[in-house]
Amino acid sequence: MKPGTATAALVHWRSFLPGPPMTLDGGLPVTADGAGVPTVAERSGGGCGPRVAPEVVVERDGGSGAGVTILAMERDGGVGAGVAPTAAESEGGGGRSCGEQCVIRVAEESCCARCVCVGPNPMMARYVYALIFLVTNLLAWTVRDYGHSALGELRRLRGCQGARYCLGAEGVLRISLGCFLFFFVMFLSTMKTRKVHDCRNSWHSEWWPVKIVLWMALTAVPFFAPSPLIQLYGKVAHFGAGAFLVIQLISVTRFITWLNDCCRSELNLKRCHMQVLVVSIVTYVGSILGIVLMYVWYAPTSACKLNILFITVTLVLVQLMTFVSVNSKVKAGYLAPGLMGIYIVFLCWSAIRSEPHTEICNRKAEVATSADWLNIASFVIAVIVVVAATFSTGIDSKCIQFKSAETESEDDDIPYGFGFFHFVFAMGAMYFAMLFIGWNAHQEMEKWTIDVGWASTWVRVGNEWLAAITYSKCERHC
C-alpha cells in the first residue's frame, strides 16, 4: 500500500456515513467533493500571511473500494505556482470520471514562522571568551615563572622600575588588571541586554578582530602603570576574588538543589527511584571515604592538630547537612547532602593541599619542591578547573536572582545574561591572580605551583564552612 493510502481510504469511506464531516487537526473539515477548496491566490496569501497546506487528492479505484490511489500530491504550497497535475490528468484527463475524490486539507504555520534568523551566535561566543581567559592565565604564569628572559625589554618601561616590579607576583597582577579591564569594559557595554536582535548582541558575539586588539592593548597598558597603583589593585583583587568564590558557591548550591528537586519530583522519582538511591549512597559513602583518606594522608600523627581540626570539622559538617536534609520537616533525601558532602570534602582537601610545602603534615606536598610530572599535571588541571569554574558560573545568571522570575521566556530572549557573564570573568581575573600569588603579593611562589600558602589555606577553609552553613540554612528555610 502506498504512503498515505490508509488515511485516504479512511476519509473516503467516512464520507458515506451519516453524521458531521470528518475533521483533522485544527478542526478543518475533510470533504469528499473538494468543495470549499481555496483558490491559488487565497492559498498563496501574497507573502507572510497564513497559508493553506499542500493538499492531497485521492481517488477510490473504480468505485469498488479495493484501494485508493493518490492523484495529486501537492498544490502550489503557498507559492502561487498553480496546481500540480494529477496522475490521471497527465494521461488524458478522463481517469477520475468513475471514481470519487476527497480532499485532505492540513493547516500549516505561516511562512514567517519558517524564517530562520541567521545572525550573531552568543552560544559560540562564550567559548571564545573562555579561550581568551585561558590564554591570559597562561600568560600570567609565563610572566611569573619565565619572565626573566624579557628583563631587558621591561627595563624600558617606567612603571616597571628596572623590570623588578614587572616580574613575579606583581607581573601577575599587571596581567590580571589587563584581563579585568577587558571584561569590565565588556560588562559595561553588554549589561541589560535582553533580546537577540539588540545591537549589543552583535558586539558580544562578533567583532572579534576589534576585541582581540582591545584585549591586547588593555593587557599591555598595566605595564606602564606605577607600582603603587598595581599594589592597590592587588588589595582590591582580594575582595573581587572573594566575590567570585561567593558567586561560585551560590551557583554550585543552586545546581545541587535543583538537581535534587528534579530527581525527587513525582514524575522522575517513579521512573528513576533506584538510580537516585544508588547515586545518593555513592556520594554519601564517597564523602566519608574522602574524610578517612585525609586522616591517613594529612594527619598521620597527633602533632598535626590543624589538619585534624580541618578534617574533623568537615566530618561534622557532612553529618549536619545530612541530618538537616532528612529531617521530618525538610525530607530532602540523601542526594543533595551527598553531593554537597563531596563538594566540601573537595574544598577541605584543596585547603590542606594549599599549605606551604614545608609543612611536615602534608606528605603529599613533600615531593612538590621540584617541577616533576606530578606537579606539572596538577598545575595544568588546576588552571583548567579555574577556567571551567569561571565559564560555568558565568552562564548561570539566575544564581543571583533573589526572586524567582515569573515571566515566561520568549523566542528572541538571549540564552544567558551577557552582563553577568562578563562580570564573572572580570571577578575571575582577580581570582586567578590570587591563585598564582597565593593570596599574598609579597611571597615568592615556586615554579609550577598554584594556590599555595597559608592565606590560600584559610580562604579555602572559610569557603568550605560558608558552603555548608549556606546549604543548611537554605534547606531549613527555603
Side-chain angles (χ1 to χ4, degrees):
M1 183 178 291
K2 298 180 181 180
T5 301
T7 303
L10 175 63
V11 174
H12 171 73
W13 290 112
R14 177 64 181 84
S15 65
F16 286 95
L17 301 177
M22 183 177 179
T23 61
L24 294 178
D25 293 341
L28 297 176
V30 179
T31 62
D33 55 356
V37 177
T39 63
V40 171
E42 292 173 339
R43 290 194 305 273
S44 61
C48 284
R51 67 182 179 89
V52 179
E55 298 170 356
V56 180
V57 181
V58 295
E59 182 183 31
R60 180 169 56 85
D61 291 344
S64 62
V68 179
T69 304
I70 297 179
L71 296 178
M73 291 301 301
E74 183 180 14
R75 298 220 175 187
D76 59 345
V79 183
V83 180
T86 65
E89 289 171 341
S90 62
E91 294 178 357
R96 280 186 290 171
S97 59
C98 297
E100 297 180 10
Q101 302 177 7
C102 64
V103 179
I104 303 176
R105 298 171 56 196
V106 183
E108 287 186 349
E109 299 175 353
S110 65
C111 63
C112 288
R114 294 177 175 269
C115 298
V116 179
C117 181
V118 179
N121 187 355
M123 302 304 289
M124 183 60 65
R126 57 183 184 170
Y127 294 104
V128 181
Y129 288 114
L131 180 61
I132 293 175
F133 190 74
L134 174 61
V135 171
T136 308
N137 276 258
L138 297 178
L139 183 61
W141 159 70
T142 304
V143 169
R144 188 197 69 177
D145 290 356
Y146 299 97
H148 297 280
S149 59
L151 191 62
E153 295 296 328
L154 294 177
R155 286 197 180 99
R156 302 178 183 179
L157 305 180
R158 295 181 179 179
C160 290
Q161 299 182 7
R164 176 187 174 189
Y165 295 103
C166 283
L167 301 175
E170 192 162 306
V172 172
L173 291 176
R174 293 176 186 270
I175 297 293
S176 171
L177 177 59
C179 183
F180 168 79
L181 292 176
F182 172 75
F183 282 107
F184 194 74
V185 168
M186 295 301 303
F187 162 70
L188 294 178
S189 58
T190 58
M191 61 184 301
K192 295 184 178 181
T193 305
R194 296 290 184 267
K195 303 296 182 180
V196 294
H197 52 72
D198 194 321
C199 62
R200 288 175 294 181
N201 179 29
S202 178
W203 167 242
H204 169 81
S205 308
E206 296 179 332
W207 295 81
W208 293 114
V210 176
K211 287 185 287 189
I212 293 299
V213 172
L214 177 63
W215 169 69
M216 296 175 64
L218 292 177
T219 302
V221 164
F223 285 91
F224 296 89
S227 180
L229 179 61
I230 301 302
Q231 293 293 335
L232 176 62
Y233 169 76
K235 296 178 180 179
V236 175
H238 283 81
F239 298 96
F244 174 82
L245 288 175
V246 171
I247 296 174
Q248 184 186 32
L249 170 62
I250 296 174
S251 178
V252 171
T253 305
R254 176 180 173 273
F255 170 75
I256 291 176
T257 304
W258 168 85
L259 181 63
N260 183 67
D261 294 340
C262 180
C263 293
R264 291 182 57 81
S265 62
E266 294 183 2
L267 178 61
N268 295 327
L269 188 60
K270 294 179 180 179
R271 297 186 303 175
C272 308
H273 175 71
M274 290 302 301
Q275 291 88 331
V276 173
L277 181 61
V278 170
V279 174
S280 302
I281 295 175
V282 169
T283 53
Y284 183 77
V285 173
S287 61
I288 300 299
L289 179 61
I291 292 174
V292 172
L293 291 177
M294 285 193 295
Y295 273 120
V296 174
W297 289 341
Y298 304 115
T301 64
S302 58
C304 303
K305 296 181 180 180
L306 187 59
N307 287 355
I308 294 175
L309 174 64
F310 291 160
I311 301 170
T312 304
V313 171
T314 302
L315 176 61
V316 173
L317 292 176
V318 170
Q319 300 302 325
L320 176 63
M321 292 188 302
T322 305
F323 173 77
V324 170
S325 296
V326 300
N327 187 275
S328 58
K329 295 182 179 180
V330 179
K331 295 182 179 180
Y334 288 92
L335 179 60
L339 294 173
M340 280 299 298
I342 291 290
Y343 180 60
I344 68 169
V345 167
F346 167 77
L347 291 178
C348 180
W349 173 78
S350 300
I352 297 177
R353 287 279 298 181
S354 296
E355 293 176 358
H357 292 165
T358 56
E359 176 62 33
I360 59 174
C361 294
N362 192 346
R363 290 183 174 181
K364 294 295 180 181
E366 292 178 359
V367 296
T369 56
S370 60
D372 57 7
W373 67 270
L374 182 60
N375 280 338
I376 296 175
S378 301
F379 176 84
V380 172
I381 293 174
V383 172
I384 294 176
V385 167
V386 171
V387 177
T390 308
F391 176 83
S392 60
T393 305
I395 61 178
D396 186 18
S397 57
K398 295 182 179 180
C399 70
I400 60 172
Q401 291 182 353
F402 297 100
K403 295 183 179 180
S404 58
E406 300 293 339
T407 58
E408 296 182 357
S409 59
E410 300 178 0
D411 294 338
D412 59 345
D413 288 345
I414 57 176
Y416 56 92
F418 296 162
F420 179 79
F421 178 84
H422 292 297
F423 176 78
V424 169
F425 270 84
M427 298 298 102
M430 295 182 174
Y431 177 65
F432 83 72
M434 295 296 102
L435 295 184
F436 279 117
I437 67 175
W439 297 80
N440 185 1
H442 302 288
Q443 74 173 354
E444 192 74 18
M445 295 288 291
E446 300 176 0
K447 289 185 177 180
W448 296 100
T449 57
I450 185 172
D451 198 23
V452 174
W454 284 115
S456 298
T457 299
W458 284 107
V459 168
R460 293 290 184 184
V461 170
N463 191 32
E464 174 202 345
W465 295 350
L466 179 62
I469 295 173
T470 301
Y471 172 81
S472 299
K473 296 189 68 174
C474 182
E475 285 294 303
R476 292 165 61 181
H477 301 290
C478 294

